[in-house]
Amino acid sequence: MKKIIAINAGPRTGWNTDLLIKSAAKGAESSGYETEYIDLFKLEKYTGCISCQSI
């Protein structure tokens, strides 16, 4: 079986990036792929963008 890893690097759960990645993973599953969803912000040592909207 083919496998896909869907990685979310966006800081806000349930917003655009998260929804788009989950939707793409769901489409891949319906086509027969095995998917795994990873949210980088739930990893202990990940310190990416926190979406502070600061310029």
Side-chain angles (χ1 to χ4, degrees):
M1 175 177 276
K2 296 177 184 177
K3 297 180 181 182
I4 292 178
I5 297 174
I7 300 173
N8 180 15
R12 293 177 270 171
T13 301
W15 286 55
N16 293 340
T17 303
D18 182 43
L19 295 176
L20 181 63
I21 292 169
K22 286 180 178 175
S23 179
K26 186 176 179 180
E29 285 178 356
S30 70
S31 295
Y33 289 83
E34 179 183 335
T35 63
E36 178 181 352
Y37 176 83
I38 297 173
D39 188 341
L40 292 182
F41 277 87
K42 295 196 174 152
L43 299 176
E44 185 176 329
K45 297 195 180 214
Y46 181 74
T47 56
C49 172
I50 58 170
S51 191
C52 64
Q53 305 300 323
S54 178
I55 297 177

